[in-house]
Amino acid sequence: MKWKKHLYTLKPYQPGKPIDDVKREFGLTEIIKLASNENPYGYSPKVKKVLKETDWQLALYPDGGAVNLREAVSSFWGVEGNQLIFGNGSDNLIQMITKALLSPGVNTVMATGTFSQYSHNAILEQAEIREVPHVNGRHDLDGMLAQIDSNTSVVWLCSPNNPTGEYIREAELLPFLEQVPEDVLVVFDAAYYEYVTADDYPALIPLITRYKNVIILHTFSKIYGIASLRVGYGIADESIIRMLEPAREPFNVNSVAQRAAMEAISDQSFIDECRQRNREGLQAFYQFCENNQLSYYPSQGNFILMDTGYKGNEVFQYLLERGVIVRSGEALGFPTSIRVTVGSAAENALVLKELEGFLQTKKSEAAK
């Protein structure tokens, strides 16, 4: 087979270790998964009701234009329907953007220590990747501006950033956007937007009104709790959406996902409750880090990146054998860190108890 050369060095995306695999491997019956930034509280009761009561016409193709979901989302954000594009998760939108705009001879700018699928898809399109080191977990916007030239096609901004949880302040974002050339698409990935409580986080819709080269990505996989249904969307000027639509697969959002997403976005009281519980959970992690003198990034997402001072894979394995699945920082570019999803109060207490046990074990070993 005449495979493209870059495929030989490109690894597939590695999701969090499956719960059933961990049970079988270690003979465990109880597992908590805090590796993929899923919502520990599940999804809205409205979603549960519609999933149970609807007679799904599974023999029929879904609505390719997502007309009803489009209406619900456009009403929620106060935008026009033609300013929206839907995907099989926001990962699918990232694929559309790279297919439409990246190619050999074109470059794309992103931060180091950010969502891996930006670079992954850029490699698939054989574009040049220009990475700019983060500063204290935050995007170095001045450094990113310096990397933009006449061959730049896409700039990726992840805010809150995965995996650090840091975010881009409005006061720094607006001057940045003013200096980005109009023919460069700025992708503002707001997958964790609903968890944000910071007052200086940018107002999103004014961005696409003022800047015609910005697209904002959202997902129903995080706080909305329907990750397995895979539905995300982008908001941008109609001219951007029109050019991206040919890169979208037909019928890419299934019927169940569309209906569930409609119910999910209608229940903002559920979202408010999840946001509050997440903030309380983060405080428990912050206190643990302070008590144990561990470095961490303050997070506006539903996860925390903690530097334990030991190899991330070692900490990951220790917790895994005790029924706690987290994400090692080694694959994320943070070799002595772990990224932990904020779970329920009980889940948080358990992971912190086991992490305390790991640290005490290492201290005992060092004292011998």
Side-chain angles (χ1 to χ4, degrees):
M1 301 264 181
K2 298 178 181 179
W3 301 108
K4 294 179 179 179
K5 292 181 179 179
H6 56 279
L7 289 175
Y8 287 101
T9 57
L10 189 61
K11 296 180 180 179
Y13 178 77
Q14 296 297 317
K17 200 168 180 67
I19 290 175
D20 288 343
D21 284 1
V22 177
K23 286 182 178 180
R24 285 191 295 266
E25 184 175 354
F26 299 105
L28 301 171
T29 57
E30 296 296 328
I31 303 290
I32 63 169
K33 182 186 176 189
L34 299 176
S36 300
N37 304 337
E38 297 144 328
N39 188 342
Y41 307 108
Y43 44 82
S44 163
K46 290 186 176 183
V47 174
K48 183 176 293 187
K49 185 174 186 293
V50 77
L51 290 177
K52 182 179 180 180
E53 296 180 357
T54 301
D55 180 17
W56 301 104
Q57 301 297 310
L58 299 182
L60 304 179
Y61 284 107
D63 173 9
V67 172
N68 292 331
L69 177 58
R70 187 179 303 273
E71 182 178 346
V73 174
S74 64
S75 176
F76 178 79
W77 284 105
V79 298
E80 298 297 324
N82 61 10
Q83 292 180 282
L84 297 169
I85 186 168
F86 292 90
N88 185 35
S90 55
D91 291 332
N92 187 206
L93 294 163
I94 293 169
Q95 289 178 328
M96 293 181 212
I97 291 167
T98 56
K99 286 181 179 180
L101 287 165
L102 299 183
S103 60
V106 170
N107 71 68
T108 180
V109 179
M110 63 194 71
T112 57
T114 194
F115 188 43
S116 63
Q117 291 304 286
Y118 309 148
S119 61
H120 183 98
N121 283 281
I123 292 171
L124 286 175
E125 302 304 325
Q126 302 181 64
E128 177 192 353
I129 298 170
R130 297 184 176 181
E131 293 183 301
V132 178
H134 65 87
V135 177
N136 296 325
R138 294 168 59 182
H139 288 60
D140 177 4
L141 297 183
D142 289 337
M144 296 178 78
L145 278 173
Q147 291 295 319
I148 297 173
D149 61 20
S150 60
N151 293 321
T152 304
S153 188
V154 182
V155 175
W156 304 89
L157 305 177
C158 187
S159 180
N161 184 47
N162 178 11
T164 66
E166 266 286 5
Y167 69 104
I168 300 171
R169 281 67 170 166
E170 184 171 73
E172 59 188 356
L173 177 63
L174 298 185
F176 171 82
L177 293 176
E178 290 289 343
Q179 298 176 74
V180 175
E182 293 181 357
D183 62 347
V184 174
L185 180 67
V186 178
V187 182
F188 192 91
D189 189 344
Y192 299 94
Y193 164 79
E194 289 83 5
Y195 284 107
V196 172
T197 59
D199 293 335
D200 54 352
Y201 189 86
L204 296 184
I205 298 306
L207 295 180
I208 63 168
T209 301
R210 183 172 177 180
Y211 305 100
K212 305 303 182 183
N213 61 333
V214 174
I215 184 169
I216 300 165
L217 304 187
H218 287 281
T219 181
F220 284 92
S221 296
K222 302 307 178 184
I223 203 168
Y224 286 103
I226 53 173
S228 67
L229 293 180
R230 312 303 300 127
V231 55
Y233 60 97
I235 313 176
D237 185 77
E238 185 272 337
S239 61
I240 292 175
I241 302 300
R242 184 174 63 250
M243 295 305 296
L244 283 178
E245 276 290 349
R248 181 177 65 83
E249 299 170 355
F251 311 113
N252 63 328
V253 182
N254 70 75
S255 299
V256 181
Q258 290 185 36
R259 183 63 189 278
M262 289 171 58
E263 298 300 324
I265 203 168
S266 74
D267 190 356
Q268 289 301 305
S269 62
F270 174 77
I271 301 306
D272 292 342
E273 181 181 352
C274 291
R275 182 188 303 111
Q276 177 59 33
R277 289 186 177 185
N278 179 73
R279 190 51 45 183
E280 293 168 358
L282 275 171
Q283 292 302 321
F285 282 97
Y286 294 163
Q287 189 61 57
F288 177 86
C289 290
E290 297 291 345
N291 292 344
N292 290 275
Q293 298 181 317
L294 304 182
S295 298
Y296 66 94
Y297 292 111
S299 177
Q300 287 294 321
N302 68 330
F303 55 88
I304 182 170
L305 189 69
M306 311 163 62
D307 190 341
T308 67
Y310 300 96
K311 290 183 178 180
N313 287 348
E314 181 182 4
V315 185
F316 164 82
Q317 188 65 31
Y318 179 95
L319 295 175
L320 188 68
E321 293 173 4
R322 288 153 181 81
V324 178
I325 309 173
V326 299
R327 184 64 66 93
S328 169
E330 292 198 39
L332 304 174
F334 299 85
T336 59
S337 294
I338 56 171
R339 191 194 68 189
V340 185
T341 303
V342 179
S344 65
E347 290 171 335
N348 297 337
L350 178 58
V351 69
L352 293 177
K353 175 186 175 183
E354 298 296 352
L355 191 53
E356 177 74 32
F358 171 83
L359 295 175
Q360 291 301 323
T361 298
K362 301 304 288 187
K363 288 179 181 179
S364 297
E365 291 175 354
K368 291 181 181 178

